Amino acid sequence: MEKSEEIDGNFFESLPEGFIANAMARTSPKDVCTLSLVCTLFKSAAGWDAVWEKFLPPDYQKIVAAADGCSKKEVYLRLCDYPVLIDAGNKSFWLHKLSGKKCYMLAARDLSIIWGDTPRYWRWISIPESRFAEVAELVSVCWLEVRGRIDTSLLSSDTRYAAYLVFKSAPHTYGFEYHPVEVSVGLIGAENQTESQIKTVFLEPEASERYRHGEYERSLPGRRRMGVFSRLRGLASRANATPPQIGPKRRQDGWLEIELGEFYNGKGQDGEVYMSMMEVKGGNWKGGIIIQGIEIRPKAS
């Protein structure tokens, strides 16, 4: 009995380190970090370059500057913690730390913004807290329409993604207090097409809080109450629309984000993902929000 227990206790230590490293490379970064706590042999195997190279994109040497001399684990962590500007600065790329899945943010300059090049309606500014050279500040429009797209081949396969508008509310933001916006995400491919699911969401955080606590209607100006809620009922009655959802969440970097929708990127699937945010029905003027871009990252389970 004692001999059997001794064999069981030394079983892992008796395995070749390369065998363990090869097995770890078939898991995920999260699993490797967990397995490294099992014993000293596992901890040593978890540091092998062969393990972490499996989690890196094939062209990582073109993405990470001065990667020579670094371990593959260091390169992986750098790509997780420090997004890299690509596509002439119009996109940002990084890896999801727990899964190694590819993530992107499309800069405002990479989006299609109606009247975006008309200074009367939009202006392009530089702010230190943005990862891109320019962001789009809404001056004033009554027709708000922002669209983006990305090729599915750039993304990790067999992965459920979500897209988020990343923005700020300036002190002078106005026009979003009583008017939700429509957001959607759709996947179009050679063999598969997913119809966009339209949602209505609030960009103004206080408006979303009032709606969530049932105080939204009471807070509306009396002369606007019927018109706005007639529109909301009209939106909710559409087959491909939903009632207003909870508003934006504050990110660790200080920006706000609102989910536009989600999609599944299958294996070997070629196509494009289309994302949009628009408010074209209220007829009211609005301004003040600052758009950094649209972020595409794996959907949290």
Side-chain angles (χ1 to χ4, degrees):
M1 184 67 177
E2 292 180 359
K3 185 177 181 180
S4 176
E5 289 178 354
E6 182 179 350
I7 293 175
D8 290 342
N10 295 330
F11 174 74
F12 289 131
E13 296 290 346
S14 67
L15 294 173
E17 189 171 318
F19 174 84
I20 296 174
N22 184 61
M24 286 183 171
R26 298 174 181 272
T27 62
S28 70
K30 180 181 178 181
D31 292 332
V32 171
C33 292
T34 301
L35 290 169
S36 69
L37 303 176
V38 172
C39 61
T40 56
L41 181 61
F42 275 41
K43 182 177 181 180
S44 177
W48 278 40
D49 279 354
V51 174
W52 293 96
E53 191 160 20
K54 289 289 187 179
F55 305 137
L56 289 168
D59 56 347
Y60 74 92
Q61 291 181 322
K62 298 179 182 179
I63 300 173
V64 180
D68 295 338
C70 298
S71 70
K72 297 300 188 292
K73 182 178 181 179
E74 289 172 330
V75 174
Y76 176 85
L77 293 176
R78 188 189 304 180
L79 275 175
C80 293
D81 296 332
Y82 302 100
V84 180
L85 293 180
I86 60 174
D87 192 19
N90 288 324
K91 289 184 179 68
S92 177
F93 169 82
W94 70 102
L95 298 177
H96 185 254
K97 184 173 286 187
L98 296 181
S99 66
K101 303 290 188 179
K102 297 177 181 178
C103 307
Y104 292 87
M105 185 188 290
L106 312 182
R109 276 294 188 188
D110 204 34
L111 305 177
S112 173
I113 302 177
I114 298 300
W115 295 310
D117 292 324
T118 306
R120 176 183 174 184
Y121 302 120
W122 291 86
R123 71 187 188 110
W124 295 89
I125 60 175
S126 298
I127 56 177
E129 57 267 35
S130 172
R131 67 182 65 175
F132 302 109
E134 291 181 303
V135 294
E137 181 180 25
L138 175 58
V139 178
S140 185
V141 296
C142 61
W143 185 289
L144 176 64
E145 185 174 346
V146 178
R147 297 183 182 274
R149 63 183 186 179
I150 187 170
D151 197 306
T152 57
S153 64
L154 296 176
L155 304 171
S156 298
S157 61
D158 193 22
T159 303
R160 179 160 293 280
Y161 279 95
Y164 304 83
L165 179 75
V166 181
F167 69 102
K168 278 183 178 291
S169 292
H172 56 279
T173 298
Y174 68 94
F176 297 98
E177 303 91 337
Y178 311 109
H179 295 270
V181 300
E182 289 186 344
V183 298
S184 66
V185 170
L187 181 62
I188 299 179
E191 298 179 357
N192 181 38
Q193 178 169 337
T194 303
E195 183 178 355
S196 299
Q197 178 68 36
I198 298 174
K199 301 188 297 184
T200 53
V201 300
F202 289 104
L203 296 186
E204 210 278 331
E206 293 183 359
S208 65
E209 286 297 311
R210 290 193 297 267
Y211 185 88
R212 184 168 59 178
H213 292 95
E215 301 171 359
Y216 184 72
E217 184 172 4
R218 293 194 299 274
S219 69
L220 287 172
R223 62 188 178 87
R224 296 183 181 179
R225 190 173 299 166
M226 285 302 296
V228 172
F229 270 83
S230 293
R231 280 196 297 275
L232 291 181
R233 284 194 295 270
L235 287 174
S237 66
R238 290 172 52 181
N240 60 346
T242 61
Q245 306 294 304
I246 294 175
K249 296 180 180 179
R250 189 163 298 278
R251 298 156 50 99
Q252 291 184 348
D253 59 9
W255 290 79
L256 297 172
E257 69 176 24
I258 189 75
E259 183 178 316
L260 305 180
E262 60 183 81
F263 63 95
Y264 176 74
N265 190 40
K267 294 182 178 180
Q269 181 171 305
D270 294 326
E272 283 189 310
V273 182
Y274 289 82
M275 303 151 285
S276 72
M277 183 274 290
M278 56 197 305
E279 202 294 293
V280 300
K281 298 178 180 179
N284 64 303
W285 289 87
K286 40 202 163 281
I289 65 169
I290 300 172
I291 297 177
Q292 182 175 190
I294 293 179
E295 184 170 292
I296 302 100
R297 64 177 191 260
K299 177 74 173 181
S301 56

